[in-house]
Every structure is written in structure tokens, then in C-alpha cells.
Amino acid sequence: ETTSFPPSKITPSNNKKEVGLILQALTMSNAGTRSHSDNDPSRVLTCNYLEKNSSKKDLLRRLRTIFEALRDEDEEIEKDDYPGLGGLADLLVTNTFLKHKDKEVRLYTVLSCVEIFYVFAPEPPFDEQETIAFFGQMVRQLGNLAHCTSPQQQNYLHYFHLLEQLSTVRIGLVLVELCRTMEDNQEPLDSLVELVHTLLGLVHIDHAQEVVNYAASAIASILEEFDATIPTPILDEVLTCIAAGPVVMVTNPAAVEAAAKLSAKLKKGQNSTPEKMPPSQIQQSNPSYLVAANAIRKVGEKVASPISTFLNGLWNGDPLICDYTSISTDGDSTPNVWATIYELHKIAPPILTTVIGNVAASLTAPQE
């Protein structure tokens, strides 16, 4: 039976039209020669249309056409008006497409599935195992945004669109619901942890602020949906980034360049007078911290109880916490609970209301 997720949580993208026009233009520029039937959504949005591909190139063209039809602003797609859409959805989440050897085929498969989510909301279009398989491939595609920082780069707009849909349509809440309904199955939680991990790590210092905001909103919606029962692995992902702090040390590009120049001179036999080398590492803003901090600020006191339970469990050695987190109570380890509390105090002090007692007790010197 298909799992439902709360209709109130599914909201259309506010700027769907703006992004849609850009994606439509990009897709049309790559679509190649189109037949007359490609202009008829009732024929395009069917299994038959996709299965008639004659080559990899033709398959990719058909997937792009399907994505374009689903994104068409002049043709509002309603699932009841397209009886072939359900079958197409089932076909797209098979290994034939989700695990196709061509990366562009996999990308357009995921893009089409995301649009089908939008059409079918508030009901998920896939069953439990299909949903888990879809998210596995979607997370891989989303992760590519970490290597694309400009709209001028290939597929940047498509990867950005996936992030936008996670933030605005909030399809990640489907996995939250599966964690509840499939509580004896670890797969939904593993998929959700992988999604949160990817959202925290995909932001690059050269990304626009909008990328940070969307990633934070997507994570915030997941935390909020869990309410007072956020699983430890999810909190561990978020709080590990918080513990790292707002600034990190990274390799200095100037040092790499200087070392390469020096090496080239030495290979040519040139006796170069040693120059003062730039420092090997420099400080840089920590994008993962920014995402995690923004996510916590968005949900505020709604996550105070689970975060307090998590931190107090660390202090008390609760195996249900300690066995599932990388955060240590040892101040010399990284990440550690002291750094986590310090940063949380700067981000959202009310969260620590029930944690201060344990902190104070740890700081109290034994009486002689």
C-alpha cells in the first residue's frame, strides 16, 4: 500500500515558473529532432512512448521530452487527465533507468520522477521500495551540486532544481513517513541519513546564498516533521557540522601554485633561490556549519527537546546515543560535546535550557 504524507507539508515552488522557463529552454536546446507526437503530452507521458526508444540517444531525447512535458507551464498536468502517467512512474523507478550506465539518462530519470512527485502530491507516486530506490539515485545526482557552483556549468540548473524541490515541495518528508511505517526496516532511515549528509555537504563557498537557504530549509523540514523523536543518526549529522565551528582550515591554493612552480624549476635544473612559501592552509567559512546552523534556527524550539535529550544522553553515557554518534565527551577529541554546546549557545541558546545542569556539574571541581 502506498504511504501517504501530510498534505499540509507539500507546497508548490513559489518560483516554479521562473525556474521552469530556464529548464525548459535548456532542455529544448538539447532535445534534438522532435516528432509530432512529442508535442502531445497524452502520448509522451506513457510507458509506450519511453519504451519505443531505438538507441541511447533516442532514449535520452525521450526522457528530456517527458521532463519538458511535466514542466510545461502552459499545460498544468493533473494525474487524472493522464491515465498513462502511473505506468510511466513505475517504469522510471526500475533499475533499467535509475541505474542506467549513462549519467545523463540517470539525471533525466530523476528529474522526471521529481516532477511526478509534484503531480501526485500529496500521495507519493511510488511504493516503499521504489521510493527508497528513487531517493538513492536522487541523492547521488544532488551531490553533484557540490562540484557545480555556477549556472554556466553543465547541469548546474538541473542539480539546483532538485535542491529547490526538496526545499519547497519537501519530498524528503516521504522518507520521514517511511521511517515511521517501516520501523523494523533500516533502509528508510539509512536513505534519510544519506540525504541529510548530502544536503550538509553539497554547499561550496562559491555557491550563491540561495543554495545555502534551500539546503537549510530542506533539512529543517525533516527535523520539524520528526518533532520530538528525531533519530540519533540524523542529529549526529547536523550536530557534527555544528561542532566543527563556523571556520575551517583548508588547503591554500596559493601554496599549491607556488609549490608547483618551484617543482617545475627544479625539474629544469634551475637553481632557484628559495622564496618564502605561502602558508599551506588558510581559514575559510565552513559552509556545512552555515547550513546546519540555519536549519536549527528555522525550527528553533521545536528541536530543543530532542537535541537536549541527545546531549544529556552523551553526558550520561546512554548507549542508545553514544553507540550511534561520532561526537565524544572527550574535550580533546573532534568532534566533541563541548564544542557542540558552545556553538549551539551562539545559534539558539534556549535549546540548552535542560543541558546547563550537566555542563555545570562537569565543570565543578571536587572538594578537597
Side-chain angles (χ1 to χ4, degrees):
E1 183 176 334
T2 304
T3 305
S4 300
F5 52 97
S8 61
K9 302 296 183 182
I10 306 302
T11 53
S13 170
N14 293 330
N15 62 340
K16 182 183 178 186
K17 185 172 184 178
E18 179 182 349
V19 176
L21 291 173
I22 298 173
L23 289 172
Q24 186 180 58
L26 180 62
T27 304
M28 290 180 66
S29 67
N30 294 317
T33 304
R34 300 181 59 179
S35 66
H36 177 70
S37 62
D38 288 351
N39 296 319
D40 183 357
S42 64
R43 294 185 180 184
V44 168
L45 301 178
T46 64
C47 291
N48 187 49
Y49 175 78
L50 190 56
E51 289 175 331
K52 281 186 175 181
N53 71 86
S54 57
S55 64
K56 185 182 75 174
K57 182 178 180 181
D58 185 45
L59 170 60
L60 186 55
R61 179 186 67 80
R62 289 172 184 268
L63 281 169
R64 285 170 172 159
T65 303
I66 289 171
F67 175 54
E68 179 187 335
L70 290 166
R71 289 288 307 175
D72 190 354
E73 293 298 326
D74 296 326
E75 186 76 32
E76 187 68 27
I77 302 298
E78 298 288 345
K79 62 181 180 180
D80 294 338
D81 297 333
Y82 294 87
L85 193 56
L88 175 62
D90 292 338
L91 180 62
L92 285 170
V93 289
T94 61
N95 287 341
T96 302
F97 297 95
L98 281 180
K99 296 186 177 181
H100 196 279
K101 62 182 181 180
D102 185 83
K103 62 180 182 180
E104 292 290 304
V105 169
R106 296 194 301 271
L107 172 59
Y108 277 94
T109 296
V110 168
L111 288 167
S112 297
C113 287
V114 167
E115 294 308 312
I116 290 175
F117 258 105
Y118 181 88
V119 172
F120 274 72
E123 296 295 325
F126 314 121
D127 66 27
E128 287 88 348
Q129 290 303 319
E130 290 172 342
T131 297
I132 292 170
F134 157 72
F135 272 101
Q137 186 56 240
M138 192 205 69
V139 166
R140 294 183 185 91
Q141 297 299 327
L142 183 66
N144 290 324
L145 190 58
H147 312 291
C148 295
T149 59
S150 167
Q152 283 68 49
Q153 290 179 272
Q154 184 180 16
N155 290 328
Y156 171 89
L157 289 175
H158 290 320
Y159 301 141
F160 178 82
H161 179 62
L162 294 178
L163 176 62
E164 182 202 27
Q165 294 298 82
L166 277 167
S167 173
T168 56
V169 182
R170 301 200 272 187
I171 60 176
L173 301 190
V174 177
L175 284 178
V176 176
E177 187 65 20
L178 289 185
C179 286
R180 297 189 180 111
T181 60
M182 300 174 67
E183 57 183 354
D184 294 330
N185 190 325
Q186 186 69 19
E187 285 184 290
L189 180 56
D190 289 344
S191 295
L192 194 58
V193 170
E194 186 180 10
L195 173 60
V196 171
H197 179 82
T198 300
L199 287 166
L200 288 164
L202 64 79
V203 180
H204 189 277
I205 192 169
D206 293 330
H207 273 135
Q209 181 63 36
E210 195 172 22
V211 176
V212 175
N213 295 341
Y214 276 147
S217 293
I219 293 172
S221 67
I222 291 169
L223 297 177
E224 187 176 24
E225 184 66 15
F226 271 116
D227 198 22
T229 56
I230 303 174
T232 297
I234 300 292
L235 283 176
D236 181 62
E237 290 290 340
V238 176
L239 295 180
T240 295
C241 292
I242 294 297
V247 177
V248 291
M249 300 299 293
V250 298
T251 300
N252 185 0
V256 174
E257 184 179 355
K261 288 181 178 179
L262 180 60
S263 177
K265 288 181 179 180
L266 293 175
K267 284 182 179 180
K268 293 178 180 179
Q270 298 177 1
N271 293 323
S272 176
T273 303
E275 300 177 359
K276 184 178 180 180
M277 295 288 289
S280 60
Q281 290 190 316
I282 55 175
Q283 287 189 337
Q284 175 184 288
S285 295
N286 182 358
S288 296
Y289 173 91
L290 295 177
V291 174
N294 284 352
I296 289 175
R297 289 190 185 101
K298 286 177 182 294
V299 290
E301 294 183 1
K302 294 180 181 179
V303 294
S305 177
I307 289 180
S308 296
T309 300
F310 176 91
L311 294 174
N312 286 324
L314 272 177
W315 288 118
N316 299 324
D318 184 346
L320 294 177
I321 303 295
C322 297
D323 292 350
Y324 297 95
T325 180
S326 58
I327 299 174
S328 171
T329 54
D330 181 359
D332 295 327
S333 300
T334 303
N336 65 72
V337 69
W338 297 98
T340 307
I341 291 173
Y342 175 75
E343 295 299 336
L344 281 174
H345 183 264
K346 294 192 294 183
I347 296 167
I351 287 178
L352 301 174
T353 301
T354 63
V355 181
I356 297 301
N358 274 324
V359 175
S362 299
L363 294 174
T364 301
Q367 295 184 358
E368 297 181 359

